[in-house]
Amino acid sequence: MSGVPTVLETIEVQPSWKTNVSSSGEYVRAQSSFRHWITAEGSSGFTAEPGRYHLYVSLACPWAHRTLILRKLKGLEDIISVTVVDWLLEEHGWAFNGQRAGCAPDTVNSKVYLREVYQLADPAYNGRITVPVLWDKKERTIVNNESSEIIRMLNTEFNAFCQTEEQRNLDLYPADLRPEIDALNEWVYRDINNGVYKCGFATSQVAYDGSVINLFEALDKVELILSENRYLFGTLLTEADIRLFTTLCNRKLQSVDYKNIWGFVRDIYQTAGIGETVNFDHIVNHYYQSHRTINPNGIVPIGPHLDFNSVHERGKLAVDATVGPTGISG
């Protein structure tokens, strides 16, 4: 023995998701810690530049998936580089793995675990290690690890580097719809995006029952909206659609009960290369093999085999783009 600590010995064990469970058994998501902003002209201290920023993501995480979709839709693949972490989340947290299909080593900071990247930005950091992470190669720090803010930066601040005029003009958070988008995002986040975790990670029957009821009531609202609108805001694709899609794409869809939601998911999946950002192997393997307190034997079920490229006919729903979600609130 050389007496030199191994990487595993120097990396703290990642806090379990159970540390985010309240005394009543309800899962409570922790707040993101790094909240800096990139601006086109650099007034924030972080200037939008080609090649300067890097995304650390998991293809199994719907929050990280949002950022990959915005990067794709805005044509920023050559502007912002990406590293995909291992889908297997073990006690030391997200890891880099160049040997597993679809994953990669950390070629930016040469680390083994994502926690080490966090500690490059803040040596005293002891919070949860989450994806996505937007890293600044120039300043060698984390700019932001809040997905909702990262997608808005990608939506507007890198327009000078988009590949086409169509991509530059694409605005998924238009000024005239922002109050309505924010209002819809609020209840979709509460009851669907985070709601599925509140159901899956609940440790009491009361907490589970309440979360499930809220989840299906919210899905019913979405189904009604999508029965009359191609997207959540008429014929206009917005960030609200992307935020909803990544959660729905991560879960087993009841295509019979929610035929409009199922059509919507296929519609988004088939849009402008978005399907290329989806990796079902990572999604399934992560959720069934990483959380052993829920699935102790790590058994991955077979199916269902859904055809995300099948015809959806959502284009027939020609509704005024300013109508919005039929007045349904949270």
Side-chain angles (χ1 to χ4, degrees):
M1 297 293 289
S2 66
V4 177
T6 66
V7 171
L8 283 178
E9 289 171 337
T10 60
I11 299 297
E12 297 178 15
V13 172
Q14 167 77 25
S16 166
W17 59 266
K18 284 193 171 184
T19 62
N20 288 64
V21 175
S22 70
S23 59
S24 63
E26 182 179 3
Y27 178 73
V28 181
R29 184 169 297 278
Q31 294 295 309
S32 300
S33 302
F34 296 88
R35 309 295 285 271
H36 305 297
W37 203 271
I38 298 170
T39 52
E41 79 294 340
S43 60
S44 64
F46 295 92
T47 306
E49 302 173 19
R52 175 172 172 174
Y53 300 100
H54 186 80
L55 275 169
Y56 289 104
V57 302
S58 164
L59 300 183
C61 172
W63 317 97
H65 189 191
R66 299 171 175 181
T67 66
L68 291 179
I69 291 177
L70 263 290
R71 176 175 173 266
K72 170 67 73 173
L73 291 178
K74 297 293 288 188
L76 299 173
E77 295 99 316
D78 295 332
I79 305 303
I80 300 172
S81 51
V82 167
T83 296
V84 176
V85 299
D86 194 342
W87 53 256
L88 184 61
L89 180 61
E90 298 186 292
E91 63 177 0
H92 292 284
W94 295 111
F96 302 103
N97 186 347
Q99 305 304 310
R100 204 187 295 278
C103 307
D106 180 14
T107 58
V108 174
N109 290 301
S110 302
K111 298 303 181 184
V112 177
Y113 291 94
L114 188 60
R115 173 173 288 278
E116 297 176 278
V117 175
Y118 271 74
Q119 291 174 338
L120 279 178
D122 178 3
Y125 184 80
N126 62 359
R128 291 192 62 80
I129 308 303
T130 62
V131 286
V133 170
L134 183 57
W135 175 263
D136 183 346
K137 300 177 188 176
K138 181 178 178 179
E139 298 295 333
R140 293 187 56 75
T141 192
I142 294 173
V143 179
N144 200 294
N145 69 336
E146 170 51 54
S147 66
S148 64
E149 294 177 356
I150 294 173
I151 65 174
R152 290 186 180 174
M153 292 180 225
L154 301 184
N155 181 54
T156 58
E157 304 308 316
F158 290 84
N159 282 344
F161 310 111
C162 294
Q163 297 175 18
T164 68
E165 183 176 356
E166 181 181 6
Q167 291 166 341
R168 282 190 294 275
N169 292 335
L170 176 65
D171 185 0
L172 296 172
Y173 189 52
D176 61 331
L177 283 178
R178 287 179 185 179
E180 295 173 71
I181 291 174
D182 289 344
L184 185 138
N185 281 344
E186 182 178 357
W187 63 264
V188 168
Y189 166 80
R190 181 190 66 221
D191 296 330
I192 300 179
N193 298 142
N194 200 41
V196 294
Y197 290 91
K198 290 164 73 174
C199 294
F201 290 157
T203 60
S204 74
Q205 190 67 50
V206 171
Y208 172 79
D209 290 347
S211 297
V212 166
I213 290 171
N214 292 338
L215 171 62
F216 280 98
E217 286 181 350
L219 288 173
D220 289 344
K221 290 181 187 178
V222 169
E223 178 71 5
L224 178 58
I225 292 169
L226 296 176
S227 71
E228 301 177 0
N229 297 265
R230 179 175 183 178
Y231 304 119
L232 293 170
F233 289 88
T235 57
L236 184 67
L237 180 71
T238 71
E239 68 163 46
D241 299 296
I242 304 305
R243 288 168 55 124
L244 175 63
F245 168 77
T246 56
T247 295
L248 297 176
C249 200
N250 269 257
R251 301 296 170 186
K252 186 185 297 184
L253 292 165
Q254 301 297 323
S255 56
V256 175
D257 294 335
Y258 293 111
K259 65 177 183 179
N260 292 299
I261 290 178
W262 171 223
F264 165 82
V265 168
R266 285 176 289 157
D267 190 3
I268 302 297
Y269 181 89
Q270 295 170 32
T271 298
I274 288 178
E276 299 171 16
T277 68
V278 180
N279 189 310
F280 291 112
D281 287 338
H282 279 220
I283 293 168
V284 172
N285 284 319
H286 168 74
Y287 283 103
Y288 284 101
Q289 295 191 56
S290 295
H291 303 292
R292 291 304 178 96
T293 55
I294 298 174
N295 184 27
N297 296 313
I299 296 173
V300 179
I302 297 175
H305 299 293
L306 302 173
D307 185 1
F308 284 76
N309 284 308
S310 60
V311 176
H312 55 75
E313 298 185 335
R314 297 288 298 169
K316 293 181 179 180
L317 291 171
V319 180
D320 187 340
T322 62
V323 170
T326 62
I328 295 178
S329 66

